[in-house]
Amino acid sequence: MEKQLYKSYEEYFRLGAAVGGLFYDEEGAFKKHQRFLDFLATHPKPEGMPDFPKPEFPKGPFVDTEIVSKHFNLVVAENDTKMVNMYPRPNEYDFTSADKFIEFAKKNGQDIRWHTLVWHNQSPKWIFEDEN
């Protein structure tokens, strides 16, 4: 069996990787690229920009999922545990992405670290609506 990278350092520290929803979504890579195509379709093309052929993107899991699953023993949530995703509106909670993050780590025997809950540019707009 091929050696796992984190095993080389486990005596000293955990080896971590930041992961997001693409890593634990079966159609992760395709969804990422589809969002890009959706953006292009809904925004006007700058004047003088040539027409490019629509790219074909592979379906299936994000390509780095296997690497992260095998070679890291710690994962850090990217945007999935930020307030904008978990607490989008007053009295409304959504742990869907955070739960998938936990499932991914458990499945791979990895420790977890949350990303900061409050982040300067990814807090929900309602936080700043009034003096409270």
Side-chain angles (χ1 to χ4, degrees):
M1 181 177 164
E2 180 184 355
K3 188 170 184 177
Q4 294 165 300
L5 181 61
Y6 77 86
K7 295 245 184 210
S8 299
Y9 301 99
E10 67 185 344
E11 185 178 325
Y12 307 102
F13 52 82
R14 286 183 227 135
L15 194 60
V19 299
L22 297 178
F23 283 86
Y24 31 84
D25 189 322
E26 289 299 314
E27 291 293 319
F30 180 73
K31 283 184 179 179
K32 176 183 179 184
H33 298 301
Q34 188 60 51
R35 282 196 308 263
F36 174 67
L37 293 176
D38 292 345
F39 173 83
L40 291 178
T42 58
H43 290 75
K45 184 177 70 167
E47 189 174 324
M49 177 70 73
D51 288 324
F52 294 103
K54 182 178 175 184
E56 292 293 322
F57 295 111
K59 292 198 176 206
F62 192 62
V63 293
D64 295 337
T65 301
E66 184 179 340
I67 293 169
V68 170
S69 301
K70 180 177 181 178
H71 291 290
F72 295 88
N73 58 351
L74 171 74
V75 287
V76 179
E78 286 181 338
N79 296 319
D80 301 305
T81 58
K82 288 182 181 169
M83 191 175 197
V84 71
N85 291 318
M86 292 179 29
Y87 192 29
R89 285 172 281 292
N91 303 314
E92 183 180 317
Y93 302 93
D94 183 354
F95 298 105
T96 306
S97 293
D99 289 344
K100 288 181 181 180
F101 168 71
I102 298 294
E103 289 171 24
F104 177 82
K106 282 183 175 182
K107 176 182 167 188
N108 295 297
Q110 297 164 314
D111 291 333
I112 63 164
R113 295 293 176 269
W114 295 96
H115 200 287
T116 182
L117 180 61
V118 179
W119 190 251
H120 66 98
N121 65 351
Q122 288 179 306
S123 294
K125 287 185 175 31
W126 66 265
I127 294 286
F128 306 106
E129 286 182 349
D130 60 37
E131 65 280 353
N132 294 320

